[in-house]
Amino acid sequence: ETGVTQSPTHLIKTRGQQVTLRCSSQSGHNTVSWYQQALGQGPQFIFQYYREEENGRGNFPPRFSGLQFPNYSSELNVNALELDDSALYLCASSASGGGWLDTQYFGPGTRLTVL
Amino acid sequence: GQQVMQIPQYQHVQEGEDFTTYCNSSTTLSNIQWYKQRPGGHPVFLIQLVKSGEVKKQKRLTFQFGEAKKNSSLHITATQTTDVGTYFCAGSTTSGTYKYIFGTGTRLKVLA
């Protein structure tokens, strides 16, 4: 196990609702990245947080937003949910400030279903 | 935009056979990482390659980074049923916003 935890494990929402997903990084890690993994696809990078600031963003609309807290835990917020948002949401923590040599340790994920 | 493709998409092998998955990027990568994801699980880091032409081995697994740093491969010798899962490469680039681009993955099934 990596020591990265996510909550909740599963979540069912309806279109238009808002959702908040949580991630606790591995001890000693200061960087959290969020990924969306649709069924049968590879993880797609949403954004990364380092020292409470957004440190990079993928091709996701502004209704995907995040936060990182002083203890390096993080939240992913998605507003105005759409059916296509149904996916496994993974967070990954790393120790080197988001540098390109970081080793990422993934949590178990949150399975979001939008009806 | 930048893409990272993997082939094959699926591979079924008999236990004991070898397996190779190939990863190709549309742009030059700074480094590449490989992950394994078991069915119902999350990606688990296997290895990172940084240098052009680099080759690394982990027991039955051999990883290679291409000379042009645009492709990579993972070779498993004498597969075992424990090798079942989806193998992803993930490349990072320093052009534009830092981020890791995951490949499309190769799903491996090993028949006993």
Side-chain angles (χ1 to χ4, degrees), chain B residues 90-108:
Chain B
S92 77
T93 175
T94 55
S95 62
T97 303
Y98 159 78
K99 55 186 176 181
Y100 270 99
I101 308 296
F102 273 73
T104 46
T106 296
R107 186 178 300 176
L108 173 64

PDB file of all heavy atoms in Angstrom, chain B residues 90-108:
ATOM      1  N   ALA B  90       3.905   6.499 -18.990  1.00  0.00           N
ATOM      2  CA  ALA B  90       3.519   7.888 -18.736  1.00  0.00           C
ATOM      3  C   ALA B  90       4.749   8.748 -18.968  1.00  0.00           C
ATOM      4  O   ALA B  90       5.771   8.576 -18.308  1.00  0.00           O
ATOM      5  CB  ALA B  90       3.002   8.062 -17.310  1.00  0.00           C
ATOM      6  N   GLY B  91       4.624   9.654 -19.922  1.00  0.00           N
ATOM      7  CA  GLY B  91       5.746  10.509 -20.251  1.00  0.00           C
ATOM      8  C   GLY B  91       5.527  11.911 -19.752  1.00  0.00           C
ATOM      9  O   GLY B  91       4.396  12.395 -19.693  1.00  0.00           O
ATOM     10  N   SER B  92       6.595  12.562 -19.391  1.00  0.00           N
ATOM     11  CA  SER B  92       6.482  13.963 -18.992  1.00  0.00           C
ATOM     12  C   SER B  92       7.242  14.826 -19.980  1.00  0.00           C
ATOM     13  O   SER B  92       8.190  14.377 -20.621  1.00  0.00           O
ATOM     14  CB  SER B  92       7.008  14.200 -17.576  1.00  0.00           C
ATOM     15  OG  SER B  92       8.414  14.227 -17.565  1.00  0.00           O
ATOM     16  N   THR B  93       6.792  16.035 -20.107  1.00  0.00           N
ATOM     17  CA  THR B  93       7.422  16.972 -21.013  1.00  0.00           C
ATOM     18  C   THR B  93       7.605  18.301 -20.316  1.00  0.00           C
ATOM     19  O   THR B  93       6.785  18.691 -19.497  1.00  0.00           O
ATOM     20  CB  THR B  93       6.586  17.156 -22.291  1.00  0.00           C
ATOM     21  OG1 THR B  93       7.183  18.167 -23.091  1.00  0.00           O
ATOM     22  CG2 THR B  93       5.161  17.550 -21.978  1.00  0.00           C
ATOM     23  N   THR B  94       8.664  18.982 -20.619  1.00  0.00           N
ATOM     24  CA  THR B  94       8.887  20.292 -20.023  1.00  0.00           C
ATOM     25  C   THR B  94       8.372  21.405 -20.916  1.00  0.00           C
ATOM     26  O   THR B  94       8.495  22.562 -20.590  1.00  0.00           O
ATOM     27  CB  THR B  94      10.381  20.533 -19.760  1.00  0.00           C
ATOM     28  OG1 THR B  94      11.092  20.337 -20.981  1.00  0.00           O
ATOM     29  CG2 THR B  94      10.900  19.580 -18.712  1.00  0.00           C
ATOM     30  N   SER B  95       7.755  21.035 -22.051  1.00  0.00           N
ATOM     31  CA  SER B  95       7.197  22.079 -22.923  1.00  0.00           C
ATOM     32  C   SER B  95       5.808  22.427 -22.423  1.00  0.00           C
ATOM     33  O   SER B  95       4.968  21.561 -22.247  1.00  0.00           O
ATOM     34  CB  SER B  95       7.138  21.587 -24.372  1.00  0.00           C
ATOM     35  OG  SER B  95       6.299  20.469 -24.480  1.00  0.00           O
ATOM     36  N   GLY B  96       5.577  23.694 -22.187  1.00  0.00           N
ATOM     37  CA  GLY B  96       4.275  24.104 -21.673  1.00  0.00           C
ATOM     38  C   GLY B  96       4.126  23.723 -20.222  1.00  0.00           C
ATOM     39  O   GLY B  96       5.095  23.590 -19.491  1.00  0.00           O
ATOM     40  N   THR B  97       2.924  23.540 -19.789  1.00  0.00           N
ATOM     41  CA  THR B  97       2.649  23.197 -18.404  1.00  0.00           C
ATOM     42  C   THR B  97       3.150  21.793 -18.104  1.00  0.00           C
ATOM     43  O   THR B  97       2.917  20.872 -18.872  1.00  0.00           O
ATOM     44  CB  THR B  97       1.136  23.257 -18.140  1.00  0.00           C
ATOM     45  OG1 THR B  97       0.675  24.558 -18.476  1.00  0.00           O
ATOM     46  CG2 THR B  97       0.839  22.964 -16.682  1.00  0.00           C
ATOM     47  N   TYR B  98       3.855  21.676 -16.992  1.00  0.00           N
ATOM     48  CA  TYR B  98       4.334  20.352 -16.595  1.00  0.00           C
ATOM     49  C   TYR B  98       3.153  19.425 -16.378  1.00  0.00           C
ATOM     50  O   TYR B  98       2.186  19.761 -15.741  1.00  0.00           O
ATOM     51  CB  TYR B  98       5.118  20.477 -15.288  1.00  0.00           C
ATOM     52  CG  TYR B  98       5.218  19.170 -14.553  1.00  0.00           C
ATOM     53  CD1 TYR B  98       6.117  18.199 -14.961  1.00  0.00           C
ATOM     54  CD2 TYR B  98       4.363  18.896 -13.497  1.00  0.00           C
ATOM     55  CE1 TYR B  98       6.172  16.987 -14.305  1.00  0.00           C
ATOM     56  CE2 TYR B  98       4.423  17.689 -12.840  1.00  0.00           C
ATOM     57  CZ  TYR B  98       5.330  16.736 -13.247  1.00  0.00           C
ATOM     58  OH  TYR B  98       5.373  15.542 -12.602  1.00  0.00           O
ATOM     59  N   LYS B  99       3.218  18.218 -16.899  1.00  0.00           N
ATOM     60  CA  LYS B  99       2.193  17.223 -16.646  1.00  0.00           C
ATOM     61  C   LYS B  99       2.668  15.886 -17.195  1.00  0.00           C
ATOM     62  O   LYS B  99       3.550  15.825 -18.059  1.00  0.00           O
ATOM     63  CB  LYS B  99       0.881  17.586 -17.331  1.00  0.00           C
ATOM     64  CG  LYS B  99       0.993  17.832 -18.828  1.00  0.00           C
ATOM     65  CD  LYS B  99      -0.320  18.318 -19.408  1.00  0.00           C
ATOM     66  CE  LYS B  99      -0.183  18.652 -20.870  1.00  0.00           C
ATOM     67  NZ  LYS B  99      -1.454  19.149 -21.455  1.00  0.00           N
ATOM     68  N   TYR B 100       2.093  14.831 -16.675  1.00  0.00           N
ATOM     69  CA  TYR B 100       2.357  13.496 -17.168  1.00  0.00           C
ATOM     70  C   TYR B 100       1.245  13.094 -18.121  1.00  0.00           C
ATOM     71  O   TYR B 100       0.072  13.228 -17.804  1.00  0.00           O
ATOM     72  CB  TYR B 100       2.454  12.491 -16.022  1.00  0.00           C
ATOM     73  CG  TYR B 100       3.856  12.350 -15.482  1.00  0.00           C
ATOM     74  CD1 TYR B 100       4.247  13.018 -14.344  1.00  0.00           C
ATOM     75  CD2 TYR B 100       4.787  11.562 -16.147  1.00  0.00           C
ATOM     76  CE1 TYR B 100       5.537  12.902 -13.874  1.00  0.00           C
ATOM     77  CE2 TYR B 100       6.078  11.436 -15.670  1.00  0.00           C
ATOM     78  CZ  TYR B 100       6.447  12.110 -14.530  1.00  0.00           C
ATOM     79  OH  TYR B 100       7.723  12.002 -14.054  1.00  0.00           O
ATOM     80  N   ILE B 101       1.627  12.591 -19.273  1.00  0.00           N
ATOM     81  CA  ILE B 101       0.680  12.082 -20.246  1.00  0.00           C
ATOM     82  C   ILE B 101       0.752  10.562 -20.208  1.00  0.00           C
ATOM     83  O   ILE B 101       1.797   9.974 -20.503  1.00  0.00           O
ATOM     84  CB  ILE B 101       0.995  12.556 -21.672  1.00  0.00           C
ATOM     85  CG1 ILE B 101       1.157  14.073 -21.719  1.00  0.00           C
ATOM     86  CG2 ILE B 101      -0.090  12.081 -22.629  1.00  0.00           C
ATOM     87  CD1 ILE B 101      -0.099  14.833 -21.372  1.00  0.00           C
ATOM     88  N   PHE B 102      -0.351   9.945 -19.817  1.00  0.00           N
ATOM     89  CA  PHE B 102      -0.404   8.495 -19.766  1.00  0.00           C
ATOM     90  C   PHE B 102      -0.719   7.930 -21.146  1.00  0.00           C
ATOM     91  O   PHE B 102      -1.494   8.502 -21.910  1.00  0.00           O
ATOM     92  CB  PHE B 102      -1.458   8.023 -18.771  1.00  0.00           C
ATOM     93  CG  PHE B 102      -0.939   7.911 -17.367  1.00  0.00           C
ATOM     94  CD1 PHE B 102      -0.690   9.046 -16.620  1.00  0.00           C
ATOM     95  CD2 PHE B 102      -0.688   6.675 -16.807  1.00  0.00           C
ATOM     96  CE1 PHE B 102      -0.198   8.949 -15.317  1.00  0.00           C
ATOM     97  CE2 PHE B 102      -0.203   6.565 -15.504  1.00  0.00           C
ATOM     98  CZ  PHE B 102       0.049   7.704 -14.771  1.00  0.00           C
ATOM     99  N   GLY B 103      -0.115   6.804 -21.424  1.00  0.00           N
ATOM    100  CA  GLY B 103      -0.428   6.088 -22.642  1.00  0.00           C
ATOM    101  C   GLY B 103      -1.786   5.422 -22.559  1.00  0.00           C
ATOM    102  O   GLY B 103      -2.450   5.446 -21.518  1.00  0.00           O
ATOM    103  N   THR B 104      -2.173   4.828 -23.658  1.00  0.00           N
ATOM    104  CA  THR B 104      -3.487   4.196 -23.762  1.00  0.00           C
ATOM    105  C   THR B 104      -3.545   2.844 -23.042  1.00  0.00           C
ATOM    106  O   THR B 104      -4.615   2.328 -22.801  1.00  0.00           O
ATOM    107  CB  THR B 104      -3.860   4.013 -25.230  1.00  0.00           C
ATOM    108  OG1 THR B 104      -2.732   3.461 -25.923  1.00  0.00           O
ATOM    109  CG2 THR B 104      -4.196   5.361 -25.870  1.00  0.00           C
ATOM    110  N   GLY B 105      -2.401   2.295 -22.702  1.00  0.00           N
ATOM    111  CA  GLY B 105      -2.352   1.064 -21.928  1.00  0.00           C
ATOM    112  C   GLY B 105      -2.381  -0.198 -22.772  1.00  0.00           C
ATOM    113  O   GLY B 105      -2.947  -0.228 -23.870  1.00  0.00           O
ATOM    114  N   THR B 106      -1.756  -1.228 -22.269  1.00  0.00           N
ATOM    115  CA  THR B 106      -1.828  -2.570 -22.855  1.00  0.00           C
ATOM    116  C   THR B 106      -2.330  -3.525 -21.784  1.00  0.00           C
ATOM    117  O   THR B 106      -1.718  -3.636 -20.720  1.00  0.00           O
ATOM    118  CB  THR B 106      -0.466  -3.068 -23.359  1.00  0.00           C
ATOM    119  OG1 THR B 106      -0.013  -2.239 -24.425  1.00  0.00           O
ATOM    120  CG2 THR B 106      -0.567  -4.514 -23.832  1.00  0.00           C
ATOM    121  N   ARG B 107      -3.459  -4.158 -22.088  1.00  0.00           N
ATOM    122  CA  ARG B 107      -4.046  -5.107 -21.124  1.00  0.00           C
ATOM    123  C   ARG B 107      -3.497  -6.492 -21.399  1.00  0.00           C
ATOM    124  O   ARG B 107      -3.664  -7.024 -22.494  1.00  0.00           O
ATOM    125  CB  ARG B 107      -5.567  -5.095 -21.234  1.00  0.00           C
ATOM    126  CG  ARG B 107      -6.250  -5.948 -20.179  1.00  0.00           C
ATOM    127  CD  ARG B 107      -7.757  -5.858 -20.289  1.00  0.00           C
ATOM    128  NE  ARG B 107      -8.222  -4.490 -20.122  1.00  0.00           N
ATOM    129  CZ  ARG B 107      -9.496  -4.120 -20.250  1.00  0.00           C
ATOM    130  NH1 ARG B 107     -10.416  -5.014 -20.553  1.00  0.00           N
ATOM    131  NH2 ARG B 107      -9.846  -2.866 -20.075  1.00  0.00           N
ATOM    132  N   LEU B 108      -2.853  -7.062 -20.393  1.00  0.00           N
ATOM    133  CA  LEU B 108      -2.237  -8.374 -20.520  1.00  0.00           C
ATOM    134  C   LEU B 108      -3.053  -9.426 -19.777  1.00  0.00           C
ATOM    135  O   LEU B 108      -3.379  -9.260 -18.607  1.00  0.00           O
ATOM    136  CB  LEU B 108      -0.808  -8.356 -19.950  1.00  0.00           C
ATOM    137  CG  LEU B 108      -0.100  -9.710 -19.860  1.00  0.00           C
ATOM    138  CD1 LEU B 108       0.124 -10.300 -21.247  1.00  0.00           C
ATOM    139  CD2 LEU B 108       1.219  -9.571 -19.116  1.00  0.00           C
TER     140      LEU B 108
END
